[in-house]
Structure formats: C-alpha cells, structure tokens
Amino acid sequence: MRYRLLAEKLDRILPYLLIAPTVVYMGFFVGYPLVQGVKLAFFDEQGRFTTENVDYLLNSPLSKFRDALFYTLLITGIVIPVEFVLALLLAFFFNSFRFRGKNAAIYVTILPLTISDVAAGLIWYSMLTGNGFANKLLLNLGVISEPIQFFGWQNRDMELLAIIITEVWRSTAIVFVILLAGLQMISHEYLEAAEVFGANALQRLRYIVLPMLMPSIQAALIIRTLFALQVFGSVWVLAGRDIPVLAGEAFYEHTQMHHTGVAALYALIIAAISLSLGALYIRFFKARYLEAGR
Amino acid sequence: MLRAQAKTSLIVAAIIIIVVLAGIAVYFATRPTTEQPTPPEKPEKIVWASTQLVPPKEQAFVKDQLLPKFKQETGIDVEFVGISYSDLVLKLESEIKAGKVTVSVIADLHGGLDMFASKGWLEDLRKFPQLEGRTFPKILEDYSYLHGIKAYVPWLTATYVMVVNKKAFDYLPEGLTPDDVIKGTEKWTYDALLAWAKNIYEKTGKKLLGFPAGPNGLFVRFLHGYLYPAFTGAQVENFDSPEAVEMWNYLKQLWQYVNPASTTWDAMADPLLREEVWIAWDHTARIKDAITTKPDQFVVVPVPRGPQGRGFILVIVGLAIPKGAPYQDAAWKLIDYLTRPETEVEILENVGFFPSVQEASGAVPEGPLKILAEGVNKMLNARDAIVAMIPSLGAKGGEFKQIYLTAFEQIVLQGKDPAEVTKELKPELLKLFEETGAPLPPPDSG
C-alpha cells in the first residue's frame, strides 16, 4: 500500500525531474538574456523606466528602423517561398528517381550549407562586382556591352537581387535536407494501397504525401524563417547599410553608435516577430495523420 | 481528454514561469559588483598608459621590441598598459583626486589631452630639459600648448590622403598639370577634381573616382574634416551656413562621377588595385596595401583646396605626464627615447603611424613608405592648410559621424534640399557637444 503511494508520487514528480536540467539551461541562456534585454531597452542607468530608446527608434532622423523593418520582411517574404518551392522540387526529384551518383549529387546540392553567410556574401560579391566573373562571362558571350552594376546606393534594386540570389543559394539546402528526410519517412505501403484503390499521382500527392510531409514542412519553414529574420552577414557584405535590416541595425547601433538600449530593442523586436511567425506556422501547418483524419 | 489538455497547459505555464524566475535569479546572482583594482607598486618600474597601439599585434611590438631596448639603455623597466579612452579618464580622475597617482606617462590623441589639460591634470612640460636632435613642425608644436601649459610632446601622426593611379594623369583637364596635383599648388582645387573626374568619365565611360563610403569606411571623415573646413572654414559651427549649402551642391555634382559601388567599400586599397578606381581618398593605414603592392603605379598627393583653404584631418598622438606622477625624470627619459627619429621610423615601419619630427622623414628608407611619408609631409607643410582634428566625444563619437552621414544620404543620395536637411540636423550636432562638455574641435575654436 505504502509502496504504491510512493510509486504514484514518484510518477508525478518524475516528469518535472526529467525536464529540470532543460529548465535550468533555458533559464540561464534564454531567461537571463531576456531579462537583461528588457532592462537595457526600457530602463535607464538609474533603473527608471524610460521610452527614450523607443523614441529614438521611431523618431530620430538618425534611425533607420522603418527601412530596416521593411527590407527584412521583404527579403523574408521573397526568399522563403522561392527557397521552399525550389527545395520541394529538388526533394521530389531526389526521392523519386534512382540514378548513378545520386548521393554525390545530393552532397553537392547541400554544399552551400557549410559556408558561413559572410563567406557566401563575399563569394557572390566578387562574382557580381563590375570586374567579376558574372559580368565577364556575359560580356564575353556578347549578352551585354556594359558591365551590370550590382552594388552601390543607386543600384539598390540590384543589391536586393544580389542578396536574394546569395540567400537562396546559401540556404535552400537546409530546407531541402529537411524535406527530403520527411519524404523518405513516408512509407511506401500507403502509396501502394492508394494506387490499388485507383488514386492517381495528383491525388496521392494531395491526400497522402503533403499531409504526411506537414511536420517536416513546418520544421523547415520555422527554422528558415528564424534565420531569415536574423539575416545580416551577407547583407552587410553585399549592400552595407544601403539596405538596412533589423539585425544589421542592432549591430550598428551597438558597435558604432554605442546605443546599447536601442540595440537591445532591435533584438526584442526580432524575437517578437520570430515568435509570432512561429506561432502562425504551428497553427496553420498542423500535422494531420491519416489515422486521425475523421 | 480535456483534463489531460489542462494539465499540459499547466505544465507549460509552470515551465515559462520557472524559466523567467530562473532568469531573474541568474541576473541578480551574476550582477557585476563594483570593485577597485589595486595598482601594483614597484619603485623600479614606471607605468605607461596608452590609448594607442592597443591592438594585440601592436602591443606585442611595443612590449617585445620597443621597451626592451629602452630598458637596456637606461635600466628602467616600463609597464605598458593599453587602455580605452573612457577607462583612462576614470583612472586619472580617481588617482588625481585620491592624490595617489601611479601612471607616469600617458599617450593619447590631441583631443583627449586637451580635455586633461583643461582640467589641470597634466604637468607643464616646460620644466624639463630640451629634447635634443629633433625639430617638430610648427603646426604640431603650436597645438601642444594647451590652456597655458606645454601639455604634451607630439609623438606620432596619422592622416588621410589621396592616391592617384598614374594612368589618370593622361586625362587631366585643361590647365592642370601632374605637378600641380603632386605638389598641391593653388590650381589643385575641388573644382579641378570635379573637372578631372568628369573628363575621365567622358573619355573612358567609367566613374573612376572613389571613396570608402561603406558601413565601416571612413568617408565621413572626408565630409567633416576635409570638405567642411575647405568650404566653410569650420567643422561644426557652419554646419548649416550658405557656404555649407554650396559645399553640398558641389558634392552632388561630384557624385555623378564617383563610382557608385563606393557605398559598399570600407577601404580603398582593393578597389585601387582592381582598377575600379584611379583616384581615391582614404586613411593612410587603409591605403598602404595598394602602395606597398604596386609602388610604381601610384602617387600619394595632397587633397585639393576649397574656397577657404586646404582642409585636412591631422591625428596627433601626444605623450604627457600626469600631475603629481611618480618618477618624473624616468618618465621624461622615456618620452625622450620614444620621440627620437630612429624610434619613430621603427614605429612607422611596424605599425604605420607617421613620425612627428622632421628628422625622421629623412630617415625613412626608400620605397613605398617613403612615397606615403612624402605625401603626408607635403600636406602638413602646405601654406593654405586648415588643420582639422577629430573631436573627442567618447561614446558619442558614433552619433557625431552618423549626423554627417545622414546629411550625405539625404542630400546627395536622396536629393533632398541641403538647406533644410542641415537645419534639421544642426541641433542634434550641437547637443552632442553640450551633453559631453567637449570643446568644438579645431579649426572651429580658433
């Protein structure tokens, strides 16, 4: 009798014991910086509440907040759908066909994943610059007669294009890897069964593959969106502050302007947008299992 | 089913609360406590605090090469302390107020030493014997007298210059000779630069003038330390004057012939070497690579002059002795050693700062550094020179720069009215000097 009570008690405590290390970890690496960030952004040196940093962010002629917000969302809004479609096509391709050297082809596809964003920025900068490889190639082929200017404030649309090319080149791979893994987990038995009952390819995709791929799509989108909101290194290399982005402004305000509070505010804003988008993804890309489809 | 869900939410809520509480706990537990470091007291050793030569490579040069020679010669041990400007202010203030000074020699930029002298924290160096065998240029000598005392001995200098690819001389506008440009005669004006860049563009179809206007570039120094003094005679005071409006209109015109990629460049050595530009302006340290790689291809020339004169920034590093410092005779010996021509040449070769004594210029060995040193020297000795100094605004220095950059972006890049933009920004600029109590930088104050 007493043993059973003890066992029941232990059963109740056990989950908390198991997650305790995680909680401590999170408290140290998430909770502490969060408290510190809020303190930096909203309190002055004497510990009094202040909206000075918000004022600066929104109203100072020196602040580039509105542009930064606009460009960050624009880049995220363009890059993610492009990457997603590309990655999905690649994943279907590699999952459906067997051919010699397939593994090697997959490795090559995910190679850009190993390169840091700054390095990727530098690679594309030297390729796209006036005397770069891309311009030389086009000139020699006779496609253009003047080098295309990709960089500089006057060419911001081209700078934006360069950033998008770089980002897509660099990070389609991560989406691809996650989606490919998701596809490979779908059992062939479902598809065979559907075939037996006369479902065509489109129906199989619509009713079996996509629903079962949902968890992978969700994970890929969340990871990729978080990275896109923090985009910084490649933008900094390719466009400097011609195209301001949130993370870049946080860096600039901290290192050049010594506005620690404003930098913290930027960080909080990035965190808030990430959280809300993450919540949206979780809501709209809920996994639907076949067994639960009543 | 419902109960299970409620339980899950409870657990999630509990986790969030615990995480936040843990965060608060960790924050209070690790909050930095105030503590006073106790300075080491060793009679046979003097302390030299410097805001310059602080990067690891430069410190290694000072500690392994420069100071051992001094010890060998005099038997005096020197502890080199690389320190930030704000820490140096704090250290000096507390030591002088406590009447217990430990630092014997300080090395800092002109602006910082100006501030120390204004507070009466520096010894008058006239009480020490003359330094033999070296002549300081008049400009440097004049600036070192501050608030009624000889505040410091000029030690090192740095500046920003123009570098010209010799190919560009084939496209000089009419009436301008290569000699005018190299020697910096009356004819080498900002209008002449405009005509030159335009001519190059019309004949080659390329915009071959360039500036380091990227996010970490120093283009902002060109705005406040070169154009402003040359056109308005001041850096800050005349920020929104009619002359300033004229200056901005000039820059708008010039920018038509500036390589548009300039806004992404942080340093001009690479664009010069890639021949994306033929004429560039930058800091001597950032342009050095181009000249050392292809010394035959480039010439270093003085900057052009404007209606008010030839404005340029002079960075002066001076050596001073704090009031009431210990072992002042040993400190003077160190200053004597550091300002010798051969020591200054050694510093130029190792870390790229230029000498402050005329004898040293003659001692620079032939080669790329000589090209640079000669260019710098010509600018220092130009008759119409207007010397500008970087204000010492401490942490507010970033905002100072951003104000000039914002004006540039709005006027030149976005085409807004210069009179309106400068009027809007001027109060922000003045606020910085009010808040920090820093004096307006030369040439404004004199």
Side-chain angles (χ1 to χ4, degrees), chain A residues 58-129:
Chain A
L58 296 177
N59 301 323
S60 168
L62 306 183
S63 158
K64 287 194 174 182
F65 171 68
R66 288 190 174 86
D67 281 348
L69 184 65
F70 169 74
Y71 278 118
T72 307
L73 294 179
L74 183 69
I75 292 170
T76 311
I78 297 174
V79 164
I80 290 185
V82 172
E83 284 187 1
F84 180 70
V85 171
L86 269 178
L88 200 60
L89 290 177
L90 278 171
F92 277 134
F93 170 78
F94 279 112
N95 194 47
S96 319
F97 298 102
R98 283 163 195 280
F99 55 91
R100 260 169 160 262
K102 180 173 153 181
N103 279 340
I106 292 180
Y107 282 130
V108 171
T109 314
I110 60 175
L111 207 59
L113 197 61
T114 59
I115 294 171
S116 82
D117 53 347
V118 172
L122 284 172
I123 289 171
W124 281 94
Y125 185 88
S126 54
M127 288 223 280
L128 297 174
T129 186

Side-chain angles (χ1 to χ4, degrees), chain B residues 96-122:
Chain B
I96 284 172
K97 278 191 179 150
K100 213 175 138 192
V101 180
T102 62
V103 179
S104 293
V105 177
I106 50 178
D108 191 18
L109 299 176
H110 170 89
L113 293 167
D114 189 353
M115 202 271 261
F116 295 154
S118 75
K119 298 202 172 179
W121 292 354
L122 300 180

Side-chain angles (χ1 to χ4, degrees), chain A residues 12 15-16 19 22-24 26-28 30-36 39 56 59-64 67 125 129-131 146 149 151-156 159 236-242 251-252 255-259, chain B residues 7 11 14-15 18-20 22-24 26-28 30-32 205 207 213-216 255 258-266 274-276 394-399 401-403 405-406 409-410 413-414 424-425 428:
Chain A
R12 251 180 291 154
Y16 300 104
I19 61 165
T22 314
V23 171
V24 171
M26 299 259 290
F28 193 81
V30 180
Y32 175 61
L34 198 67
V35 173
Q36 188 70 280
K39 185 186 153 258
Y56 172 88
N59 301 323
S60 168
L62 306 183
S63 158
K64 287 194 174 182
D67 281 348
Y125 185 88
T129 186
N131 296 347
E146 282 269 298
Q149 287 295 339
F151 303 109
W153 199 88
Q154 285 98 322
N155 310 311
R156 267 172 311 156
E159 282 186 333
W236 199 251
V237 170
L238 292 166
R241 274 180 95 217
D242 291 351
F251 172 77
Y252 185 82
T255 59
Q256 301 291 311
M257 306 284 276
H258 300 285
H259 291 158
Chain B
K7 204 173 163 190
I11 291 173
I15 290 173
I18 293 169
V19 166
V20 171
I24 292 171
V26 171
Y27 165 69
F28 279 106
T30 59
R31 209 155 54 153
K207 299 177 175 181
N216 291 324
W255 205 259
V258 169
N259 191 316
S262 285
T263 51
T264 59
W265 290 333
D266 287 341
R274 287 197 299 258
E275 295 208 15
E276 283 176 272
K396 299 264 178 201
E399 274 179 69
K401 291 196 266 181
Q402 190 54 46
I403 288 170
L405 281 179
T406 305
E409 281 172 14
Q410 299 194 347
L413 299 180
Q414 298 167 19
E424 191 200 8
L425 288 170
E428 304 265 339

Side-chain angles (χ1 to χ4, degrees), chain A residues 185-186 207-219 222 279-294:
Chain A
M185 279 194 313
I186 298 174
Y207 292 105
I208 297 172
V209 176
L210 281 182
M212 293 193 73
L213 199 59
M214 273 305 166
S216 305
I217 292 177
Q218 191 187 53
I222 289 178
L280 282 181
Y281 282 139
I282 290 177
R283 227 186 123 82
F284 289 113
F285 291 94
K286 236 182 196 149
R288 274 167 282 160
Y289 295 101
L290 296 182
E291 285 83 354
R294 270 170 282 166

